[in-house]
Structure formats: structure tokens, C-alpha cells
């Protein structure tokens, strides 16, 4: 009963705020609605018993991605109304493609069946109830063992993404006065101080 | 289950992945070296990348190529993977060697360039060896992400930035479609492992599987730029710096084709009646579009884009013909195509006037008078691309059409021959422009040794392939037949372990 109530609450808020994301006129509001959507989607995952994904959703998407969006939206001077101009002409095409995809999905899921041996094929059987470990722990057990290959290659992908971001955006600007700590440390008294004997009455 | 698996982890089983491991470590070391020494180390890094690729090739050739799947069944090594990887490494070495001089001329000499090529190469090798949807996807993304960056590496040039952006957005969509297809397959079968997936799909079927198959094929067809997923190719080829276009044309498609072949003949082997129609159609459409759309092009990079679309169409005929013979033809075709393209792009990279790159076909006018050697080389390569005997390009096409006829695919064979005749027009037009048109201004003369070497090897390979074609064809046959004999012993030790869980 309570679970059902929670489900409908989360689901309704997800839907409403998701619509608000794309309809809000103010981009900052859009991002805030996006954060609300993520939070409620995380709630849905908790109801499913997938607390790990729920936490990841909050930490990664709300904590990092959405906040980054917020920064971009607030700090860059982008005219969103200019961006939206002309977007309407793509709506019919988008509706057609979306409609086709939707029809396919309906066809798939109305006739959906699992392979008879699907349950045996699952590489990592669901262990929560049997051994009383959480699914975070279950993921941790396989992530660095059975799936170490995918894990390491994902690391390489992130490295390439980082190299790419630096290559495409970092530029060395000449004429910028930077603090060079090493130079400051290496400065000796003799480099900058000159002691002159001043004989009295003559001046420097 | 994992306790036993963890204790029984055996480092010697990593042997099969040694070339990739070596390249990954080398890439990281070179990255640090580059960061410490800055862009003035570009030549050093480029040379080091070539050497590392060479060493990786030696390691690869020294490995046992018997079929073995390691790392929880995610990575497979067999003669097919081994041979395709040798091809990919060869293409990578050629493209880095071609581009080093160009980087300096076009002010994109950044040390990240060869390193990104290296990482995309690792991605390609992982794609070729992928034996699990997860491994397939991470390999594909590693490859694509590096290529997106390379496409827009000349960031202050509007066309380069545009091409990178287009490639990235469309590539992201195609990855999304691919993932959606994979999730449908996973939802049905409960596994992403190719062997178990193939086993499950051979027993029973459902509508969801078909749609999943179509989505996966659409995602991979984007990577080989087969019609109707080819829209990005001409724009990206034209906008990217010419050295990057050379890389795009020479290597990634070979890896993606190898991936497609493995997908079709391992997990989807039982669905052949379903995927056959798809492959049949995209082969036909790619050939025809590649031939006819190429006629109207005046930019040589766009022309090469349409040429590559058409060539992927021919290669797909071999896939549709299937069987060891069809796949042998595909591998030989791809190897010859790589060699020819490397030479052609070597010449395209030499098209510079007063320090600026020119890329229209008219700019080649009268090349036979200005630079006769270059003109004759390009003429030979174009004759080969057009498929005129006794050059290598002819044999590639011949094997493909032969396999099509033997599998009874007469429509594909006939339309393939017609479209290759049509395409011959634009290859021969380049020769006509070079030899019979009023000379335009001369090109800049200096050509680096490494580029001369690549062009020379390419031309020698194209001319003298006829003298001794058997090593390539025999190796390809061994590689192709391993793909089919491998299906009999589906239960490799690793997958057997999975089944018992």
C-alpha cells in the first residue's frame, strides 16, 4: 500500500518535472526541474531495490552533471530563445520518427517473451536474498573480477575524453602573468638586493 | 561463484591480450612524455607511436593464434582476430607515417595527435577481439571518441570543428541505437556473451530479438558508413584535416567490418535468414550510391568518401555471400583497399600550393607535366581503384564477385559490376585531368621520406600483387575459416564455466 503510494508519487513528479524541463522558458528553471526529475527517478530505483543505481543517480547526475549544467547556463551568455528559433520546423519529422519508434516498442513489448533459459544465462545471479548482501556489494564483487576488462577499458575511454577536452579547449595565452612558485622559491637575496656603500654626504 | 574464479586467475592467460596491453601502457607513458616536453616533442612521439605499433605487431605475430577466450569470455583470440589486427596495425602505422609532415604544415602538430591515433587503434583491436556485447561497446566507444577529437583537432578551422561536431552527434546517436539493440537482446537472452547468446538464439526466437538485431546492425552500419547510414561520411571526410581523413579512410572501417563479421557469424549465426536481407540491401544501396553520388564531386576528399561508401558495399557482398569463401574475399578486399587508400591519400596530402592545402580535382590538372612521378603513381592507384587488371584492385573485386556468383547472389554481382563500371568514370576522370588538361600551378615540392615510403610500398603492393597473391589469400582463408570452425566448439573452457554458474 505504502509502496504503491510512493510509486505513484515519484512517477507523477518525474513525469510532470520532465515535461517542465522542456517547456520552462527560463533555462535555469529547466535545470532545476531536471534535478527534481533525477531525484524522483532515484526514488523509483530505491523502490525497485536498486539502491546502488539510485545513489549513483543522485551523486553523479545531480551532484556533478546537473550542477555543471547550472554553471554553464548561468555563466555563459547563451540566448536560448535564439537557439529555439527554427526548432519548430523539425517537430513534424521528430514526431514521425518518434511515432515509428513508439510503435515498434509497443510491438516488441506486447509480444515480449524471455528465452526459456534466460535465467540460467545471467552471468551474475541475483544474490541479495540468498546471502543477505546488498546489491552494492554484489556489484563490487564482480566489477573488479569478472568485469575488470570492461572496467579498465572504460578507464581508457575516460582518459581519451579528458585528452580530447584538453586538446579542443585548452589554449596557451601568451602575455599572461602567472605566479611561478618555483621561481619565487629559487630567488636569492643576491639576485635582487644590492648593497651599496654610501659615503656620507654624497648620496646614492 | 567468484571465489574460485578469483583464485584461479592466471596471468599467463593474459597472453592473448598482450599487444593491446603493451599499446595501452605505451600510450600512457608517451602521454606523460608529451605532457612534460610539450608540442615540440610531436615528432618524437609520432616516431615512438610508430615503433610501439611495430612492436605490438611483432608481439601479435609471435602469439599463438589458436582460439582462446579470456577475461570472463569477453576477449577472444583466433586467427581471424589476429589477422585483422595485423591489418589494422599496418594501417595505423601507414596513417601516422603519412601525417607527421602534414601536421607541421597545417599547424596542428600537437603531441596528442599520434597518441589519440594510438588509443583509437587500441579501441579497434578490442573491437576485433570483442566476444561480449559489453566488450564490443567499450571498444567501439574508445575508438570513436578518439576519432571525434581527431576530426576537430584543427579547432580554429570552422570546417574541421563542424566535421568533428557532426561526427560526434551522429556517432552518439548511433551508439544509442546500438545500445538499445543490445539491451533488447540482453533482455531476451539474459546474457551479453557472444557464445551463449548464439546458443540461446539458435533455439528460439522472438520479435524483440529481431528488432534488437536490426538496431545493432544499424549502429554498426553507421561505423562502416553503409547506406542509409552514410550521411556523415562526405562532410566529415571533407572537413577533417587531410591527414585525419586518411586515417578515417584507411583503418576504422576495417575494424568495424571485422566486428560486423564476428557479430553476424557468431551470436547471430542462427538468424542468418533475418540479417541476410538487411546486409543484402545495404550492400546494394552502398554500391549504387557510392558510384552515382561520386560522379558529381569535385572535391577529392568528398570523392574518396563516396568511394569508400561504395567499397564498403562491395565488401558487404562478400559478407552476404557468407561462408568461408565470402569472408576470405572480404578480408582480401579490405587488405587491398587499405593499401590503395594509403597510397592515394599519400598523394592527396602532397597537394599543397604555396603552403596551403588544395583539394579540388581541378588542382591536379597537368600534374603529369609538373610532377610526373606523382602523376604516374596516382594514375596506377586510380586504375587499381577502378578495378583494371592486372592491378591489385581487380583481384579484390574479382574474389568478391566470384563468391557472390558461387552463392547464387546474381543480382548483387551484376549490380556490383555495373556500379563499379560507373565508379570507374570518376577514377579515370582524375587520370584524364592529370594527363590531358592544361597544367595548373605546381605543387610544393618537399615530401617527407616516411610519406614517400608509404606511397612507394602501396604502389609496389598494387602492381606486384599479381606476381604472388597467394600469401595474402592463404592467410585470409585461414583467418576466415577459423571463424566458421570456431562455431563447433562453442563451449570454450571459459564459457563452460559461465554455463555452470
Amino acid at each position: 500500500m505504502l509502496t504503491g503510494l510512493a510509486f505513484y508519487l515519484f512517477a507523477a513528479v518525474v513525469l510532470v518535472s520532465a515535461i517542465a524541463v522542456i517547456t520552462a522558458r527560463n533555462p535555469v528553471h529547466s535545470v532545476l526541474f531536471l534535478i527534481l526529475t533525477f531525484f524522483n527517478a532515484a526514488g523509483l530505483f530505491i523502490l525497485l531495490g536498486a539502491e546502488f543505481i539510485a545513489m549513483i543517480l543522485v551523486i553523479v547526475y545531480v551532484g556533478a552533471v546537473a550542477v555543471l549544467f547550472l554553471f554553464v547556463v548561468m555563466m555563459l551568455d547563451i540566448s536560448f530563445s535564439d537557439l529555439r528559433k527554427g526548432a519548430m520546423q523539425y517537430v513534424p519529422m521528430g514526431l514521425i520518427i518518434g511515432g515509428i519508434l513508439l510503435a515498434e516498442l509497443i510491438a516488441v513489448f506486447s509480444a515480449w517473451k524471455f528465452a526459456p533459459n534466460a535465467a540460467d544465462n545471467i552471468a551474475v545471479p541475483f544474490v541479495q536474498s540468498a546471502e543477505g548482501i546488498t546489491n552494492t556489494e554484489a556489484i563490487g564483487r564482480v566489477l573488479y573480477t569478472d568485469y575488470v576488462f570492461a572496467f579498465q577499458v572504460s578507464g581508457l575511454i575516460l582518459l581519451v575524453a579528458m585528452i580530447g577536452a584538453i586538446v579542443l579547449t585548452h589554449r596557451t595565452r601568451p602575455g599572461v602573468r602567472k605566479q611561478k612558485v618555483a621561481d619565487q622559491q629559487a630567488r636569492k637575496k643576491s639576485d635582487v638586493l644590492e648593497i651599496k656603500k654610501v659615503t656620507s654626504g654624497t648620496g646614492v | 561463484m567468484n571465489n574460485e574464479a578469483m583464485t584461479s586467475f592466471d596471468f599467463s592467460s593474459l597472453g592473448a591480450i598482450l599487444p593491446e596491453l603493451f599499446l595501452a601502457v605505451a600510450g600512457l607513458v608517451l602521454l606523460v612524455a608529451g605532457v612534460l616536453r610539450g608540442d615540440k616533442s610531436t615528432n618524437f612521439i609520432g616516431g615512438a607511436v610508430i615503433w610501439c605499433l611495430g612492436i605490438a605487431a611483432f608481439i601479435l605475430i609471435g602469439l599463438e593464434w589458436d582460439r582462446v577466450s579470456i577475461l570472463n569470455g569477453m576477449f577472444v583470440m583466433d586467427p581471424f582476430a589476429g589477422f585483422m589486427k595485423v591489418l589494422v596495425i599496418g594501417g595505423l602505422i601507414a596513417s601516422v607515417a603519412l601525417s607527421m609532415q602534414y601536421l607541421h604544415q597545417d599547424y596542428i602538430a600537437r603531441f596528442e595527435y599520434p597518441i589519440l591515433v594510438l588509443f583509437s587503434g587500441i579501441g579497434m583491436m578490442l573491437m576485433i577481439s570483442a566476444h561480449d556485447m559489453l566488450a564490443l561497446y567499450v571498444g567501439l566507444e574508445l575508438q570513436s571518441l578518439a576519432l571525434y577529437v581527431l576530426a576537430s583537432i584543427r579547432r580554429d578551422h570552422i570546417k574541421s570543428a563542424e566535421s568533428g561536431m557532426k561526427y560526434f552527434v551522429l556517432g552518439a546517436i548511433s551508439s544509442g541505437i546500438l545500445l538499445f539493440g543490445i539491451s533488447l537482446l540482453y533482455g531476451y537472452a539474459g546474457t551479453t556473451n557472444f557464445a551463449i547468446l548464439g546458443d540461446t538464439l539458435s533455439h528460439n526466437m522472438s520479435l524483440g530479438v529481431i528488432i534488437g538485431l536490426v538496431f545493432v546492425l544499424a549502429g554498426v552500419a553507421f561505423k562502416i558508413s553503409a547506406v542509409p547510414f552514410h550521411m556523415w561520411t562526405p562532410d566529415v571526410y571533407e572537413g577533417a584535416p587531410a591527414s585525419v581523413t586518411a586515417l578515417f579512410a584507411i583503418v576504422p572501417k576495417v575494424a568495424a567490418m571485422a566486428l560486423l563479421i564476428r557479430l553476424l557469424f557468431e551470436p547471430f549465426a542462427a538468424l542468418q535468414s533475418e540479417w541476410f536481407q538487411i546486409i543484402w540491401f545495404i550492400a546494394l544501396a552502398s554500391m549504387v550510391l557510392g558510384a552515382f553520388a561520386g560522379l558529381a564531386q569535385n572535391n577529392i576528399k568528398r570523392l574518396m568518401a563516396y568511394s569508400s561508401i561504395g567499397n564498403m558495399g562491395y565488401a558487404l557482398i562478400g559478407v552476404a555471400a557468407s561462408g568461408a569463401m565470402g569472408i576470405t574475399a572480404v578480408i582480401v578486399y579490405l587488405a587491398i583497399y587499405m593499401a590503395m587508400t594509403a597510397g592515394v591519400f599519400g598523394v592527396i596530402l602532397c597537394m599543397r600550393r604555396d603552403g596551403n592545402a588544395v583539394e579540388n580535382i581541378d588542382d591536379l590538372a597537368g600534374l603529369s607535366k609538373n610532377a610526373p612521378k606523382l602523376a604516374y603513381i596516382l594514375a596506377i592507384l586510380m586504375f587499381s581503384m577502378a578495378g583494371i587488371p592486372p592491378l591489385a584492385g581487380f583481384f579484390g573485386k574479382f574474389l568478391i564477385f566470384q563468391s557472390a556468383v558461387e552463392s547464387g547472389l546474381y543480382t548483387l554481382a551484376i549490380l556490383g559490376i555495373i556500379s563499379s563500371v560507373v565508379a570507374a568514370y570518376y577514377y579515370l576522370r582524375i587520370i584524364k585531368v592529370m594527363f590531358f588538361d592544361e597544367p595548373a600551378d605546381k605543387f610544393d615540392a618537399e615530401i617527407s621520406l616516411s610519406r614517400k615510403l608509404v606511397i612507394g610500398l602501396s604502389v609496389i603492393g598494387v602492381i606486384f600483387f599479381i606476381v604472388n597473391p597467394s600469401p595474402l589469400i592463404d592467410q585470409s582463408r585461414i583467418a576466415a575459416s577459423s571463424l566458421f570452425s570456431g562455431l563447433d566448439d562453442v563451449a570454450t573452457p571459459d564459457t563452460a564455466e559461465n554455463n555452470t554458474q
Side-chain angles (χ1 to χ4, degrees):
Chain A
M1 171 60 200
L2 199 62
T3 332
L5 201 67
F7 170 77
Y8 284 112
L9 179 71
F10 286 136
V13 179
V14 165
L15 286 179
V16 172
S17 54
I19 292 169
V21 172
I22 53 171
T23 52
R25 291 215 161 267
N26 185 337
V28 177
H29 293 174
S30 280
V31 178
L32 291 175
F33 275 119
L34 191 65
I35 294 175
L36 184 64
T37 315
F38 285 146
F39 262 115
N40 285 280
L44 288 176
F45 276 120
I46 291 204
L47 288 182
L48 281 173
E51 79 277 355
F52 181 71
I53 301 180
M55 289 308 136
I56 288 294
L57 201 65
V58 172
I59 295 169
V60 176
Y61 281 85
V62 179
V65 177
V67 172
L68 211 63
F69 276 164
L70 207 56
F71 269 123
V72 171
V73 166
M74 297 204 306
M75 295 178 92
L76 296 185
D77 186 22
I78 303 172
S79 166
F80 283 88
S81 51
D82 282 359
L83 284 181
R84 285 218 191 95
K85 229 175 258 169
M88 282 307 284
Q89 59 176 320
Y90 301 115
V91 168
M93 199 60 195
L95 281 181
I96 292 173
I97 293 174
I100 294 172
L101 266 182
L102 185 69
E104 282 178 347
L105 282 184
I106 292 172
V108 169
F109 287 107
S110 59
W112 185 260
K113 59 177 181 147
F114 292 99
N117 52 346
D120 309 329
N121 285 344
I122 293 178
V124 184
F126 189 61
V127 282
Q128 186 175 24
S129 52
E131 298 173 30
I133 60 169
T134 62
N135 59 43
T136 313
E137 196 181 338
I139 290 172
R141 282 189 183 186
V142 291
L143 188 59
Y144 306 107
T145 53
D146 292 353
Y147 290 90
V148 68
F149 173 72
F151 182 76
Q152 291 292 341
V153 182
S154 309
L156 279 186
I157 295 176
L158 291 179
L159 176 70
V160 168
M162 197 170 76
I163 298 173
I166 294 172
V167 167
L168 295 182
T169 56
H170 178 258
R171 46 190 85 219
T172 44
R173 276 168 294 185
V176 180
R177 298 167 76 92
K178 280 187 193 149
Q179 183 182 19
K180 291 177 184 151
V181 179
D183 286 0
Q184 290 177 344
Q185 302 280 15
R187 229 158 93 121
K188 288 198 213 74
K189 203 196 245 172
S190 58
D191 296 340
V192 284
L193 266 185
E194 196 183 344
I195 296 178
K196 292 212 168 178
K197 262 276 191 267
V198 183
T199 42
S200 52
T202 55
V204 181
Chain B
M1 58 137 203
N2 301 303
N3 289 331
E4 308 93 78
M6 262 188 270
T7 47
S8 70
F9 185 82
D10 181 8
F11 275 100
S12 65
S13 72
L14 284 181
I17 201 177
L18 206 57
E20 286 87 346
L21 276 181
F22 170 75
L23 284 180
V25 172
L28 297 177
V29 172
L30 289 177
L31 186 62
V32 174
V35 169
L36 290 179
R37 298 195 45 206
D39 285 339
K40 59 180 181 295
S41 62
T42 307
N43 277 341
F44 165 73
I45 303 266
V49 163
I50 292 179
W51 277 105
C52 290
L53 287 166
I55 296 171
F58 270 110
I59 299 176
L60 182 62
I61 292 168
L63 286 178
E64 293 268 330
W65 284 12
D66 297 334
R67 189 181 169 88
V68 55
S69 79
I70 58 168
L71 293 166
N72 199 31
M74 285 208 172
F75 185 94
V76 72
M77 185 69 199
D78 55 6
F80 176 72
F83 190 65
M84 295 312 271
K85 280 187 204 173
V86 171
L87 283 186
V88 162
I89 292 179
L92 288 170
I93 291 176
S95 67
V96 176
L98 281 178
S99 51
M100 290 318 291
Q101 186 193 11
Y102 183 88
L103 296 184
H104 289 285
Q105 289 168 336
D106 245 11
Y107 311 109
I108 47 174
R110 316 192 53 175
F111 74 88
E112 292 95 343
Y113 183 99
I115 291 176
L116 284 170
V117 175
L118 181 72
F119 278 119
S120 81
I122 299 172
M124 291 172 209
M125 292 166 75
L126 295 179
M127 277 160 68
I128 294 172
S129 271
H131 197 241
D132 189 293
M133 290 293 184
L134 209 53
L136 177 161
Y137 182 69
V138 288
L140 197 71
E141 281 305 295
L142 180 60
Q143 184 242 161
S144 321
L145 207 56
L147 294 184
Y148 302 148
V149 179
L150 285 173
S152 47
I153 196 151
R154 201 177 167 192
R155 58 185 186 189
D156 17 1
H157 196 268
I158 182 94
K159 271 197 165 173
S160 173
E162 177 201 335
S163 86
M165 192 68 201
K166 258 186 194 158
Y167 195 19
F168 176 63
V169 171
L170 293 175
I173 294 174
S174 86
S175 290
I177 291 176
L178 177 77
L179 273 182
F180 189 49
I182 292 175
S183 72
L184 283 175
L185 290 170
Y186 177 71
Y188 174 76
T191 180
T192 51
N193 184 287
F194 282 2
I196 311 176
L197 199 59
D199 203 37
T200 309
L201 295 184
S202 65
H203 297 313
N204 28 57
M205 278 291 305
S206 110
L207 181 65
V209 171
I210 303 291
I211 293 194
L213 168 79
V214 172
F215 278 30
V216 169
L217 288 187
V220 179
F222 175 89
K223 299 293 173 198
I224 57 169
S225 71
V227 177
F229 308 102
H230 66 285
M231 316 296 193
W232 59 277
T233 322
D235 290 347
V236 172
Y237 274 43
E238 187 190 352
S243 63
V244 178
T245 311
L247 172 70
F248 284 176
I250 300 171
V251 216
K253 290 184 176 178
V254 176
M257 189 61 91
L259 174 76
L260 179 70
I261 290 172
R262 192 181 291 286
L263 268 178
L264 292 180
F265 294 103
E266 287 191 10
F268 299 150
L271 305 179
Q272 188 163 13
S273 53
E274 273 78 21
W275 61 249
F276 174 76
Q277 309 157 11
I278 302 174
I279 297 296
W280 188 90
F281 172 75
I282 62 177
L284 184 73
S286 306
M287 288 184 315
V288 173
L289 186 121
F292 282 92
L295 295 180
Q297 303 307 323
N298 201 28
N299 179 307
I300 195 157
K301 278 153 82 185
R302 281 187 92 82
L303 179 70
M304 288 309 289
Y306 284 107
S307 153
S308 88
I309 294 173
N311 277 304
M312 286 302 123
Y314 300 124
L316 284 169
I317 295 183
V319 179
S322 73
M325 190 178 170
I327 302 306
T328 309
V330 177
I331 299 174
V332 174
Y333 190 85
L334 288 176
I336 293 174
Y337 171 73
M338 274 175 80
M340 292 188 302
T341 324
V344 172
F345 270 96
V347 177
I348 292 178
L349 288 171
C350 295
M351 292 171 61
R352 304 188 71 84
R353 210 166 266 154
D354 306 328
N356 291 315
V358 289
E359 44 197 43
N360 282 334
I361 292 174
D362 302 334
D363 292 317
L364 287 166
L367 192 65
S368 62
K369 303 204 175 53
N370 291 337
K373 265 192 240 158
L374 215 54
Y376 280 105
I377 286 171
L378 190 57
I380 290 168
L381 292 169
M382 284 297 152
F383 275 125
S384 176
M385 293 284 257
I388 288 165
L391 300 170
F394 166 75
F395 290 96
K397 288 207 169 94
F398 175 75
L399 283 175
I400 290 277
F401 293 136
Q402 190 190 19
S403 72
V405 169
E406 292 204 0
S407 341
L409 303 173
Y410 297 110
T411 324
L412 277 184
I414 291 168
L415 284 170
I417 290 169
I418 291 175
S419 58
S420 87
V421 170
V422 173
Y425 167 79
Y426 56 68
Y427 297 127
L428 298 182
R429 182 163 73 109
I430 293 180
I431 298 174
K432 177 239 163 201
V433 169
M434 286 192 303
F435 282 85
F436 302 112
D437 281 9
E438 277 303 304
D441 293 341
K442 285 191 175 187
F443 289 144
D444 299 349
E446 85 265 29
I447 301 170
S448 70
L449 179 69
S450 60
R451 189 182 296 167
K452 278 183 188 156
L453 214 60
V454 173
I455 299 176
L457 283 176
S458 156
V459 171
I460 290 171
V462 165
I463 298 177
F464 292 106
F465 178 73
I466 187 172
V467 178
N468 190 6
S470 48
L472 177 63
I473 296 181
D474 289 345
Q475 279 302 320
S476 306
R477 189 169 294 133
I478 296 169
S481 50
S482 79
L483 205 58
F484 293 93
S485 62
L487 291 180
D488 301 331
D489 50 10
V490 168
T492 51
D494 227 79
T495 54
E497 184 187 281
N498 268 332
N499 280 331
T500 53
Q501 280 160 16

